[in-house]
Amino acid sequence: MSDAEKLENEGDIAADFLEGLLDIADLDGDIDMDVDGDRAAVEIVGGSGALDHLVGRDGDVLDALQELTRLAVYRETGERSRLMLDVAGFRAARRTELVAVAEAAIEKVKAGEPSVSLDPMTPFERKVVHDAVAAAGLGSSSDGTEPHRYVVVHTAAE
């Protein structure tokens, strides 16, 4: 099975799991599947606002649901999944916000500040910032311990 087929299979397994969950919770929503780079991407869409319960405060419920979905995939495939789950565009909107935060830090470093420390973030959020910083040609690192781990943006030479 090719890598693309494996990722599509992960998406199918995740979709089946999530559809069952939506049925149990009596929530309306559709499942969109895609492959985003080297991982399966699944999103629950629709439901006219009722899906907010699946996001939770600051995405806490979404993070837990993503882990449960990854476990469902693992149960079927025997392989750890890096599947990304989104609900009603929450992660997509958060990604846009984080890129703006990263760009502000990038500008400060380019203007001469030796480094800029950001607020604590989840692993997903830190990855978005690290990717934006790398694309700008600067460096970044994660410091601290969970749940207070944060990104430090600095020149690429550090």
Side-chain angles (χ1 to χ4, degrees), residues 31 84 94 113 125 137:
I31 310 293
M84 285 297 292
R94 184 69 179 133
E113 288 192 36
E125 294 170 331

PDB file of all heavy atoms in Angstrom, residues 31 84 94 113 125 137:
ATOM      1  N   ILE A  31     -18.522  14.990   7.157  1.00  0.00           N
ATOM      2  CA  ILE A  31     -17.094  14.717   7.300  1.00  0.00           C
ATOM      3  C   ILE A  31     -16.409  15.004   5.967  1.00  0.00           C
ATOM      4  O   ILE A  31     -16.802  14.451   4.933  1.00  0.00           O
ATOM      5  CB  ILE A  31     -16.834  13.240   7.694  1.00  0.00           C
ATOM      6  CG1 ILE A  31     -17.685  12.817   8.885  1.00  0.00           C
ATOM      7  CG2 ILE A  31     -15.350  13.016   7.930  1.00  0.00           C
ATOM      8  CD1 ILE A  31     -17.353  13.476  10.183  1.00  0.00           C
ATOM      9  N   MET A  84      -4.781  14.959  11.470  1.00  0.00           N
ATOM     10  CA  MET A  84      -5.221  16.243  12.018  1.00  0.00           C
ATOM     11  C   MET A  84      -6.727  16.322  11.883  1.00  0.00           C
ATOM     12  O   MET A  84      -7.275  16.045  10.817  1.00  0.00           O
ATOM     13  CB  MET A  84      -4.594  17.413  11.253  1.00  0.00           C
ATOM     14  CG  MET A  84      -3.145  17.667  11.563  1.00  0.00           C
ATOM     15  SD  MET A  84      -2.823  18.138  13.257  1.00  0.00           S
ATOM     16  CE  MET A  84      -3.590  19.730  13.326  1.00  0.00           C
ATOM     17  N   ARG A  94      -7.586  29.381  13.698  1.00  0.00           N
ATOM     18  CA  ARG A  94      -6.501  29.540  14.673  1.00  0.00           C
ATOM     19  C   ARG A  94      -5.156  29.639  13.957  1.00  0.00           C
ATOM     20  O   ARG A  94      -4.291  30.405  14.362  1.00  0.00           O
ATOM     21  CB  ARG A  94      -6.527  28.380  15.679  1.00  0.00           C
ATOM     22  CG  ARG A  94      -5.505  28.507  16.774  1.00  0.00           C
ATOM     23  CD  ARG A  94      -5.834  29.658  17.728  1.00  0.00           C
ATOM     24  NE  ARG A  94      -4.832  29.716  18.775  1.00  0.00           N
ATOM     25  CZ  ARG A  94      -4.228  30.814  19.172  1.00  0.00           C
ATOM     26  NH1 ARG A  94      -4.565  31.982  18.653  1.00  0.00           N
ATOM     27  NH2 ARG A  94      -3.314  30.785  20.120  1.00  0.00           N
ATOM     28  N   GLU A 113      15.505  43.195  17.655  1.00  0.00           N
ATOM     29  CA  GLU A 113      15.394  42.514  18.947  1.00  0.00           C
ATOM     30  C   GLU A 113      16.100  41.159  18.834  1.00  0.00           C
ATOM     31  O   GLU A 113      15.930  40.451  17.837  1.00  0.00           O
ATOM     32  CB  GLU A 113      13.921  42.320  19.337  1.00  0.00           C
ATOM     33  CG  GLU A 113      13.238  43.602  19.742  1.00  0.00           C
ATOM     34  CD  GLU A 113      11.886  43.361  20.399  1.00  0.00           C
ATOM     35  OE1 GLU A 113      11.744  42.376  21.127  1.00  0.00           O
ATOM     36  OE2 GLU A 113      10.992  44.193  20.163  1.00  0.00           O
ATOM     37  N   GLU A 125      -0.160  24.562  17.788  1.00  0.00           N
ATOM     38  CA  GLU A 125       0.076  25.995  17.644  1.00  0.00           C
ATOM     39  C   GLU A 125       1.560  26.298  17.490  1.00  0.00           C
ATOM     40  O   GLU A 125       1.950  27.131  16.664  1.00  0.00           O
ATOM     41  CB  GLU A 125      -0.504  26.736  18.852  1.00  0.00           C
ATOM     42  CG  GLU A 125      -2.017  26.665  18.930  1.00  0.00           C
ATOM     43  CD  GLU A 125      -2.590  27.184  20.237  1.00  0.00           C
ATOM     44  OE1 GLU A 125      -1.907  27.097  21.275  1.00  0.00           O
ATOM     45  OE2 GLU A 125      -3.736  27.667  20.217  1.00  0.00           O
ATOM     46  N   GLY A 137      12.881  32.717   7.144  1.00  0.00           N
ATOM     47  CA  GLY A 137      14.339  32.654   7.191  1.00  0.00           C
ATOM     48  C   GLY A 137      14.929  32.906   8.568  1.00  0.00           C
ATOM     49  O   GLY A 137      16.125  33.140   8.693  1.00  0.00           O
TER      50      GLY A 137
END
